[in-house]
Each structure stands twice: as C-alpha cells, then as structure tokens.
Amino acid sequence: MRTDIFARLDREPEPPKIEPPRMSRHRIALFGGTLAFYLAIVVAVLVSSWLVTLDWKVMLFRPYQQWPEIHAFLDYYIVLGQRGPTATMVACWLGWRSWRQQTLRPLLTLGASLLLLNATVGAVKIGLGRLGPHYATQIGSAELFAGGDIFPSGHTANAVVTWGILAYLATTPRARRYLSAVSAIVSLGVGLTTVYLGTHWLSDVLLGWAAGLLILLGLPWVEPLITRAEAWIFAQRDNFRGRARPVPSVPVAAGGPRTVLVPQQDGGDAVEGPVLEPVAAGGHPTATAVTGARARAHPAPPSHLVPPSHLVRSERTPVTPAGSRRPPHADRAPRGGTAPARPMTGG
C-alpha cells in the first residue's frame, strides 16, 4: 500500500484537461435575454425615454459631492476597469497557466475576447456618438450623435470581460462559481464608480454590463477557431525547430568512413558518397586507401580485358611471408638453395 502511494507521488503531475463550455440551451437562453436587454437600452436612449430622464437625475444629484470621503479610494478602484492594466495582469496569469499546462488556449481566448470587445463596443460608441455628463449641452437631451464616445461604458464592459474570462477558463465548477462572483462584484463596482465620478450616464453602465456579458456568453462559438489557431501555431513552431536544428557532424576516427567524390558511369556530375577507407593514426589515409580512392575515381575495365603487365599493384599476386609473389618456375631454384645442374650441349 505504501509503495503505491509513493509511486503516485513520484509521477509527474498531469495538466488538467480544460473542457471548453458548450452553447447549451441554458447559455443560449441567457444570450438571447441579454441581447434583448441590450437592444432595449439602445432604443430607450434613442427615443429619449424615462431612462434618459433618470440619467439626468443621477447626474444632477452629483454623487461625488454627496460622499466626498470615498473619492480618493474610487480614483484607484476605477483602474480595475481600464483595459491596459487589467489586460496586462490577466495576461500574465493566463500566460503562466499556458506554460504550465502546455496549451495556448487561455491566452488565445483572452485575445479573442478583447478583440470582440474592441470591435463591438467601439463600433457602437462611434456610431451613436453620445457625449458624457461633463460635456452635456442641453438638460433632458440624450446627447446622441454629437461626436462623443461614452455609450456604452468601456470601463464597465472591459471589467466584465477581463475578470469574467478567469471564471470562463476555470478548471473546476467550484472555482468557476467563486470567480464568477468575484468578477460580478468587480464589474458592478467599476460601473457604479464611473457614475459616482460623473464620467458616464447610468444607461452607459447598463449597456456596458450587457455588452461584456454578451461576449462571455458567445465565446463558445469562437472555440473552434481558437482550437485551429492553436494547432496552426504549434505546427509553425515545430517546422521552425526542424529547420533551425543543425545537422550533427560525425568526426572521422581511425578506420572510420571518409566521403569522396565518385563520378557517374554515364558521364554525369560527380556525387558525394561515403567510402570506407582505412585511416592511419593522425587522420591521414594509408597508401592502400589512396590507391582505392583512385581506383574508384577512375573505374578500371574488366580484369579479363587487361594484360597482366598493366594490372595495378593491388591486383597482382599478394606478397606472403612464406615465399615470393612471383609464381614458381621450374628452371629456377629458391633463394638460398643450390641450383640444379643444367645439361650441357655440344662438345
């Protein structure tokens, strides 16, 4: 039993498998309800309804003058809704998670959500052109199409998306519930802070909450694109590593293979090919190796077409320690012996 426990402790911990949320019926219903709420806020502002009257009442109440003691704290708290600092902090955390889990999905999901946020919220801001409370020109007016860019609230929508992405990427249901509550409190506080400071109308904050929630609810539709982008990035990384990896060079040892140029039989260009040649100590080829290389560079005709006198040294009868390399002759005696007497002819 103890051996099994220690074996499990010795294993490398496997990264948790992150299951991307799917567009369930519950999520689709929430998306549809949030979209209807978004369109209702836009219509209410366009027709200068009771919502615009409420905007002016809150603005003329001037909350920053009613509770000035919390002004200094809220000046710092509003940073939690600014895109630069919050995106940097969340990107650092998700980058560490990507490295630990060996996946790019957290960073790619954050990038996709911020891209959708800039595209959707920015388009509505520029299209409606609403002025903020500090730049209002006529009491009771919606201040639309006047060159402004505060409807919907970018701080509020950014707080919903940036902090809500942590709950979206949570690996356990418990962590998802806790992070959802934290992101809701932070984004709610950021929206109300902008109303307190007088930088946004109340309707701007309502639309900012809806805009950020729409992006979080619609992220599962973007998951296939995120998966393909991750696979493409990893493929490019593997290709780059394959091209950048140098070819290992094997040093030539004594007796190792050497590469020589071998001409083609049909008169083509010479090609390189490994040739096994004996190499003496010090890296210099022996005389036999040089002769063999020359023989390969200039292939000889068949041996039956070459007279014995034209054979190279390596093709002659090898010298053996037991005798001469010449064939024995009947009329000759071996060295060191007595020659047989030849018959004398004539008188």
Side-chain angles (χ1 to χ4, degrees):
M1 187 68 180
R2 291 175 58 87
T3 306
D4 184 48
I5 292 176
F6 287 124
R8 290 183 180 181
L9 291 177
D10 291 339
R11 293 177 183 174
E12 184 71 16
E14 298 181 0
K17 184 179 180 181
I18 304 177
E19 291 290 343
R22 300 180 179 179
M23 288 301 295
S24 60
R25 294 181 179 180
H26 179 68
R27 183 178 286 269
I28 292 176
L30 286 177
F31 184 86
T34 306
L35 181 60
F37 178 77
Y38 184 97
L39 296 176
I41 296 296
V42 173
V43 172
V45 173
L46 285 174
V47 298
S48 299
S49 65
W50 60 269
L51 186 57
V52 176
T53 305
L54 181 61
D55 286 340
W56 276 99
K57 288 182 179 180
V58 174
M59 180 265 188
L60 295 176
F61 180 70
R62 290 180 173 85
Y64 58 89
Q65 292 182 356
Q66 304 297 328
W67 303 285
E69 60 275 4
I70 62 174
H71 196 291
F73 169 75
L74 294 181
D75 278 339
Y76 291 101
Y77 184 82
I78 197 65
V79 177
L80 295 177
Q82 292 182 1
R83 189 164 306 148
T86 56
T88 302
M89 290 187 291
V90 174
C92 291
W93 166 254
L94 295 181
W96 181 83
R97 280 189 54 185
S98 297
W99 173 80
R100 184 72 182 271
Q101 299 170 357
Q102 301 179 1
T103 176
L104 292 177
R105 180 175 172 264
L107 284 177
L108 292 177
T109 305
L110 175 64
S113 62
L114 292 180
L115 182 62
L116 290 174
L117 176 67
N118 292 335
T120 56
V121 174
V124 177
K125 277 176 173 287
I126 297 174
L128 296 179
R130 192 180 190 186
L131 294 175
H134 293 315
Y135 302 97
T137 57
Q138 183 179 358
I139 297 178
S141 171
E143 303 294 336
L144 292 173
F145 310 110
D149 57 352
I150 54 99
F151 183 68
S153 170
H155 278 71
T156 306
N158 182 73
V160 173
V161 172
T162 306
W163 301 111
I165 204 70
L166 298 178
Y168 178 82
L169 294 172
T171 56
T172 60
R174 183 178 181 181
R176 184 168 298 174
R177 287 194 299 267
Y178 287 159
L179 290 175
S180 298
V182 171
S183 62
I185 294 173
V186 171
S187 58
L188 181 66
V190 168
L192 295 179
T193 299
T194 60
V195 177
Y196 169 86
L197 297 175
T199 56
H200 280 286
W201 306 98
L202 181 60
S203 57
D204 299 344
V205 175
L206 296 176
L207 197 65
W209 284 332
L213 190 57
L214 282 176
I215 293 175
L216 289 179
L217 292 174
L219 275 179
W221 282 326
V222 194
E223 286 290 344
L225 182 61
I226 294 175
T227 303
R228 288 195 296 269
E230 181 184 16
W232 182 84
I233 293 174
F234 280 140
Q236 296 302 316
R237 182 200 62 178
D238 295 340
N239 293 338
F240 177 77
R241 287 181 177 179
R243 291 195 302 266
R245 186 179 296 112
V247 179
S249 58
V250 181
V252 179
R258 301 179 70 88
T259 303
V260 297
L261 291 176
V262 181
Q264 300 295 324
Q265 296 288 346
D266 54 356
D269 296 332
V271 297
E272 290 189 0
V275 178
L276 293 177
E277 300 175 1
V279 181
H284 301 287
T286 60
T288 310
V290 174
T291 306
R294 291 175 180 173
R296 295 184 190 94
H298 303 282
S303 56
H304 65 277
L305 299 179
V306 181
S309 59
H310 289 80
L311 293 177
V312 295
R313 257 181 119 74
S314 61
E315 297 172 351
R316 296 178 184 177
T317 307
V319 179
T320 60
S324 171
R325 58 187 174 182
R326 298 179 180 178
H329 200 277
D331 298 336
R332 298 178 183 177
R335 296 181 180 180
T338 352
R342 298 183 179 181
M344 303 297 294
T345 58

